[in-house]
Amino acid sequence: MEYAFSDRIKNMTGNAIRDIFKLLARPEVISFAGGMPAADALPAEQIREIASQVLKDDPTGILQYGATEAYAPLRQSAAQFVKDAAKVNCSPEDLFIISGGQQGLDLACKAFLNKGDRVLVERPTYLAALQIMATYEAEVHSVNMDEEGMLLDELEEKLKIYSPKLIYTIPNFQNPTGRTASLERRRKYLELAEKYNAVIIEDDPYGLLRYEGEAVPSIKSMDTVGRVIYVTSFSKVISPGLRVGAAVAAPTLLRKMIIGKQATDVHTNSLSQAIIDKFLRLGYMPEQLAKSNKIHSERMNKMQEMIKQYFPSNVKYTRPSGGLFIWAELREDINTLDVLQKSTQRDVAFIPGSHFFAEGDGLNTMRLNFSNSSFERIEKGIKILAETIAEF
Amino acid sequence: MEYAFSDRIKNMTGNAIRDIFKLLARPEVISFAGGMPAADALPAEQIREIASQVLKDDPTGILQYGATEAYAPLRQSAAQFVKDAAKVNCSPEDLFIISGGQQGLDLACKAFLNKGDRVLVERPTYLAALQIMATYEAEVHSVNMDEEGMLLDELEEKLKIYSPKLIYTIPNFQNPTGRTASLERRRKYLELAEKYNAVIIEDDPYGLLRYEGEAVPSIKSMDTVGRVIYVTSFSKVISPGLRVGAAVAAPTLLRKMIIGKQATDVHTNSLSQAIIDKFLRLGYMPEQLAKSNKIHSERMNKMQEMIKQYFPSNVKYTRPSGGLFIWAELREDINTLDVLQKSTQRDVAFIPGSHFFAEGDGLNTMRLNFSNSSFERIEKGIKILAETIAEF
């Protein structure tokens, strides 16, 4: 039968990354496509022990329905975690637990966006954020960046023209470019948001994945009036499969996001919440971060080295200080969708950059993930990619 | 600061049940408010052993990102489960895994509803469904019921007048009334949906919680054209806290719901999915159902007995053949919101029925849950409730 789908969904064809994932499930495929942390960095044995422990200590608390806000112990330990990690002055009442960081973006958009409302995003930006905004039928405009973040003149101009309700930014090791916004830019984002009355969504899944240099204070840490929604995730440093993140905002605003969550998944699964809580309380985080950052940074260096050695010299690429991604720009007449088609025939995958542009341009760009491939696969994969690019 | 919230959320004050939950967290409170299965029926020890096993057998599959559709083994075992439980001819491709049954309603509404679109629901109906429909800014109309389900003349009349996109029904042990739709009504729902081109959402979280009589075939089992979205849940028979359910629909329609899910929580948490999968494959379900149905039916009988003994004789109440709820109608001039205010002062809670009416009436009704209270608490709580009601 023919279905009368909603406007928000009828023309939507799905998230390119998640569809590439499925195509590339064969083990022989070398995938630089996803944003997966290193499989060998996942603390499987610790999680196994903790799961058994928490199910012994609090079976009913974990297996029965829980509060939408959080599994209570995690609300406390996560608030302490955010305080330490992002220097946000955060009490348990300022935070709630979400089913992965991405749900924070969804709930923030749900709380603010009517059909046709405007949002400003970075250019390029996280493709799932663009997909979420499309489901709320928002009008999305993007702001160009340099190595220090969004260009301030352009940001102000677009704030003036479009009066957006939201500004969406990933200040640390941005997805897809790997760039980190400077302290000065972050201050200015907040000033401009104040001047033009926009709310900032500060998406920070990668902040702790720093391989060199000093952490830059979060925008939320400078927010005194409740203008920033800060979203973080345990996916990249403990486990993506557990689906646990946290969102921090002023209580009035948080309440609306919690109401939005009541209507979607009731509450985040309690077993994963209890595991993350125990992991934090046992003090496993510093060692886990040291281990995973070591693996990731070695792989990033390896990929940098291989790109330098094999890619055509006219390819420009970033060297991030952390995170999971390298961003490359090829010769202007090359379309990376065509490159992908050829490289997948040789079992190598990446994400064509155009998926990260609100306006669908950036055809000559690509995002490369290094974190979940061995040195051997990085070497082999980059070599094949270089050969494929050279054919254009 | 003042926030410019979206229309969908600005006047929404939250789900009454979930808010009552929080108020009543004190252990001395006797709560007939929630829809929790018996805590002593939860298979905690089995889940503990399984969690440990699956994290040993497939740590990467569980801890890394997974496919939006499902943790692959569960997609298969859940399809078999639905086939057995609801007699739906269901292959793994016709089903996907959701973060609890309620997410199925959210994703179905997301796939179909534009602002102002019409939905028909039962009168009364599940309050979270009403809340979800409000977040999609739908126009909701309700159809009166008798003991066999929705009144067919009224259903047809409202289909004709309103041309709704969706009909939402809970045919087994309905929430809140406990009623089960007859086979004849189910056939007619499908015929009428066909005639007036509506999609049926068949919400079935309670179907296996039958304490007497024979199962009635699901509407989905009679659907040959893809007109029904069937939603089920593992919450009531294994564990609500794990947040796992399943939705069955025609592939074209399923695809849109999966795209909707990509944009909310990426995928359902894999550890819970792996636990449910193993639980099903180990064949624990029949024994678990027998155990939980025994506990629940004894408690239902106890509550029936206590109501009969203590409630004023002019109170009408249902005697369901399964599920989790008894529905009571008090004298017409009594407002159960006032009754609740008084009963909570004596530490007894229930849900006032008006929350389940799309039009906000039904002021003299109440929903009573029996499954998660001991005999002693049922006796004490019903006695206090009876005394409270008698004061009006």
Side-chain angles (χ1 to χ4, degrees):
Chain A
M1 59 178 281
E2 292 260 322
Y3 299 103
F5 291 123
S6 63
D7 294 341
R8 79 175 64 79
I9 212 95
K10 69 179 171 208
N11 297 317
M12 210 173 264
T13 52
N15 175 320
I17 294 190
R18 301 208 59 75
D19 292 338
I20 290 174
F21 269 157
K22 274 192 298 171
L23 287 172
L24 303 178
R26 289 172 296 131
E28 63 271 27
V29 171
I30 298 176
S31 175
F32 304 138
M36 293 182 171
D40 36 338
L42 298 173
E45 195 47 44
Q46 287 169 320
I47 289 175
R48 200 162 84 89
E49 278 164 25
I50 291 174
S52 179
Q53 193 61 50
V54 295
L55 280 164
K56 192 171 204 168
D57 293 346
D58 187 18
T60 306
I62 289 169
L63 296 178
Q64 271 290 21
Y65 282 107
T68 301
E69 287 79 352
Y71 177 70
L74 180 59
R75 201 176 195 185
Q76 296 200 319
S77 55
Q80 189 58 51
F81 169 80
V82 168
K83 235 169 156 170
D84 296 343
K87 310 296 171 224
V88 174
N89 192 0
C90 167
S91 78
E93 289 67 40
D94 302 320
L95 168 147
F96 80 117
I97 297 297
I98 47 187
S99 303
Q102 195 180 300
Q103 192 180 56
L105 318 187
D106 182 57
L107 295 175
C109 289
K110 192 175 197 172
F112 283 102
L113 299 180
N114 291 318
K115 184 174 184 161
D117 278 351
R118 277 87 167 244
V119 182
L120 291 189
V121 302
E122 292 161 336
R123 180 182 153 83
T125 191
Y126 180 35
L127 65 78
L130 295 175
Q131 192 189 22
I132 289 168
M133 291 160 194
T135 66
Y136 291 99
E137 301 173 84
E139 188 182 307
V140 179
H141 297 275
S142 64
V143 178
N144 283 297
M145 304 173 80
D146 63 16
E147 291 310 310
E148 308 224 322
M150 283 184 280
L151 302 175
L152 295 173
D153 289 349
E154 190 179 330
L155 175 60
E156 177 152 20
E157 195 196 331
K158 292 193 167 161
L159 281 164
K160 207 181 292 177
I161 299 175
Y162 298 117
S163 302
K165 276 190 172 174
L166 300 172
I167 302 169
Y168 172 68
T169 176
I170 310 159
N172 289 317
F173 318 123
Q174 200 241 13
N175 182 358
T177 64
R179 287 167 180 149
T180 292
S182 66
L183 180 59
E184 187 47 29
R185 292 283 168 96
R186 296 177 191 220
R187 277 210 186 98
K188 278 292 199 179
Y189 294 171
L190 200 53
E191 268 179 49
L192 289 170
E194 184 69 26
K195 186 168 169 190
Y196 294 96
N197 196 26
V199 166
I200 295 177
I201 305 175
E202 178 177 25
D203 192 12
D204 189 22
Y206 315 112
L208 291 175
L209 283 63
R210 176 172 281 281
Y211 315 136
E212 57 187 35
E214 289 294 312
V216 186
S218 64
I219 307 171
K220 185 68 186 166
S221 71
M222 303 178 250
D223 172 27
T224 54
V225 296
R227 190 163 290 285
V228 180
I229 301 169
Y230 176 82
V231 177
T232 187
S233 167
F234 298 102
S235 292
K236 306 303 190 281
V237 281
I238 301 179
S239 157
L242 295 183
R243 312 299 315 125
V244 182
V248 182
T252 346
L253 171 42
L254 210 60
R255 173 76 189 146
K256 294 295 187 191
M257 291 176 71
I258 289 167
I259 289 171
K261 183 172 168 70
Q262 285 178 350
T264 56
D265 61 357
V266 189
H267 65 82
T268 297
N269 79 95
S270 307
L271 177 53
S272 293
Q273 290 192 71
I275 291 171
I276 303 284
D277 173 61
K278 196 83 175 175
F279 195 94
L280 294 172
R281 284 177 197 265
L282 287 169
Y284 287 171
M285 207 57 174
E287 201 183 318
Q288 171 61 19
L289 263 175
K291 176 177 149 195
S292 106
N293 282 352
K294 181 168 183 292
I295 295 175
H296 290 166
S297 71
E298 286 169 357
R299 290 179 179 179
M300 184 179 74
N301 289 332
K302 179 72 179 178
M303 191 177 272
Q304 291 282 338
E305 197 187 304
M306 293 300 104
I307 290 175
K308 193 173 171 193
Q309 187 168 339
Y310 295 113
F311 269 25
S313 60
N314 60 6
V315 174
K316 282 187 258 175
Y317 58 95
T318 57
R319 193 190 186 297
S321 311
L324 302 176
F325 306 112
I326 293 171
W327 179 247
E329 289 183 39
L330 309 190
R331 219 177 54 224
E332 280 205 1
D333 61 315
I334 300 180
N335 186 333
T336 53
L337 291 163
D338 301 332
V339 177
L340 178 65
Q341 203 167 31
K342 288 205 172 187
S343 74
T344 48
Q345 286 164 14
R346 296 181 65 187
D347 288 341
V348 176
F350 62 89
I351 307 285
S354 54
H355 295 300
F356 301 92
F357 287 80
E359 294 84 359
D361 47 344
L363 287 172
N364 64 325
T365 59
M366 64 203 296
R367 191 192 78 175
L368 296 167
N369 166 267
F370 48 79
S371 53
N372 196 30
S373 300
S374 65
F375 284 5
E376 200 194 336
R377 289 180 147 231
I378 290 173
E379 174 151 12
K380 190 173 163 198
I382 292 293
K383 230 167 145 174
I384 290 173
L385 261 186
E387 288 164 15
T388 313
I389 293 167
E391 288 174 28
F392 284 82
Chain B
M1 58 177 282
E2 292 260 323
Y3 299 103
F5 291 122
S6 62
D7 294 341
R8 80 175 66 79
I9 212 94
K10 71 180 170 208
N11 296 318
M12 211 174 265
T13 52
N15 175 322
I17 295 191
R18 302 209 60 76
D19 292 338
I20 290 175
F21 269 153
K22 274 192 296 171
L23 286 172
L24 303 178
R26 290 171 296 129
E28 62 272 28
V29 171
I30 298 176
S31 175
F32 304 139
M36 293 182 172
D40 36 340
L42 298 173
E45 196 46 46
Q46 288 169 321
I47 289 175
R48 200 162 83 89
E49 277 164 27
I50 291 175
S52 179
Q53 192 61 48
V54 296
L55 281 163
K56 192 172 204 168
D57 292 346
D58 187 18
T60 307
I62 290 169
L63 297 176
Q64 271 290 19
Y65 282 107
T68 302
E69 286 80 351
Y71 177 68
L74 180 60
R75 201 176 195 186
Q76 295 200 319
S77 54
Q80 188 60 49
F81 169 78
V82 169
K83 236 168 155 169
D84 296 343
K87 310 295 172 224
V88 173
N89 192 0
C90 167
S91 76
E93 289 67 40
D94 302 319
L95 169 149
F96 80 118
I97 297 297
I98 46 189
S99 303
Q102 195 181 300
Q103 191 180 55
L105 318 187
D106 182 56
L107 295 176
C109 290
K110 192 175 197 173
F112 283 102
L113 299 180
N114 291 317
K115 184 172 184 161
D117 278 351
R118 278 89 167 242
V119 182
L120 290 190
V121 302
E122 291 161 337
R123 180 181 153 83
T125 191
Y126 180 36
L127 68 75
L130 295 175
Q131 193 190 21
I132 289 169
M133 290 160 195
T135 65
Y136 291 99
E137 299 172 87
E139 189 183 306
V140 180
H141 298 275
S142 63
V143 178
N144 282 298
M145 302 172 81
D146 63 17
E147 291 309 309
E148 308 224 324
M150 282 184 280
L151 302 175
L152 294 174
D153 288 350
E154 190 179 331
L155 176 59
E156 177 151 19
E157 195 195 332
K158 291 194 167 159
L159 281 164
K160 208 181 289 179
I161 299 174
Y162 298 118
S163 302
K165 277 189 173 175
L166 299 173
I167 302 170
Y168 172 69
T169 177
I170 311 161
N172 290 318
F173 317 124
Q174 202 242 14
N175 182 358
T177 64
R179 288 171 182 146
T180 292
S182 66
L183 179 59
E184 189 46 30
R185 293 282 170 98
R186 294 177 193 220
R187 278 212 186 99
K188 278 292 200 179
Y189 294 172
L190 201 53
E191 267 178 51
L192 289 170
E194 183 70 24
K195 185 169 171 190
Y196 294 96
N197 196 26
V199 165
I200 295 177
I201 305 176
E202 180 178 22
D203 192 12
D204 189 22
Y206 314 113
L208 291 175
L209 283 64
R210 176 173 281 280
Y211 314 137
E212 58 187 35
E214 290 293 313
V216 187
S218 65
I219 307 173
K220 184 68 185 165
S221 71
M222 303 179 249
D223 172 27
T224 54
V225 297
R227 191 163 288 286
V228 181
I229 301 169
Y230 176 83
V231 177
T232 187
S233 167
F234 298 101
S235 292
K236 307 303 189 282
V237 282
I238 301 180
S239 158
L242 295 183
R243 310 301 314 124
V244 181
V248 181
T252 344
L253 170 43
L254 209 61
R255 174 75 189 149
K256 293 297 185 189
M257 291 175 72
I258 290 166
I259 290 171
K261 183 171 168 69
Q262 285 178 351
T264 56
D265 63 358
V266 188
H267 65 82
T268 296
N269 80 95
S270 308
L271 176 54
S272 293
Q273 290 192 71
I275 290 171
I276 303 283
D277 173 61
K278 195 86 175 174
F279 195 93
L280 294 174
R281 285 175 195 267
L282 287 170
Y284 287 172
M285 207 56 174
E287 202 184 317
Q288 171 61 19
L289 263 174
K291 176 177 151 194
S292 107
N293 282 352
K294 181 168 186 292
I295 296 175
H296 291 164
S297 71
E298 286 170 357
R299 290 178 179 177
M300 184 179 74
N301 289 332
K302 180 72 178 176
M303 190 175 272
Q304 291 282 339
E305 197 187 306
M306 293 300 104
I307 290 175
K308 194 174 173 192
Q309 187 166 342
Y310 295 114
F311 269 26
S313 61
N314 59 7
V315 174
K316 282 186 260 176
Y317 57 95
T318 56
R319 193 192 185 293
S321 311
L324 302 177
F325 307 112
I326 293 171
W327 179 247
E329 290 183 40
L330 309 191
R331 218 177 53 225
E332 279 205 1
D333 62 315
I334 300 180
N335 186 333
T336 53
L337 291 162
D338 300 333
V339 178
L340 179 66
Q341 204 167 32
K342 289 207 170 183
S343 74
T344 48
Q345 286 165 11
R346 296 182 65 189
D347 287 342
V348 176
F350 62 90
I351 306 287
S354 55
H355 294 301
F356 300 93
F357 287 79
E359 294 83 1
D361 47 345
L363 287 172
N364 64 324
T365 59
M366 63 203 297
R367 192 191 75 175
L368 296 167
N369 167 266
F370 49 79
S371 53
N372 195 30
S373 299
S374 66
F375 285 3
E376 200 193 335
R377 289 180 147 229
I378 290 173
E379 174 150 15
K380 190 173 164 198
I382 291 294
K383 229 165 145 174
I384 291 174
L385 261 186
E387 289 165 16
T388 313
I389 293 167
E391 289 173 28
F392 284 83

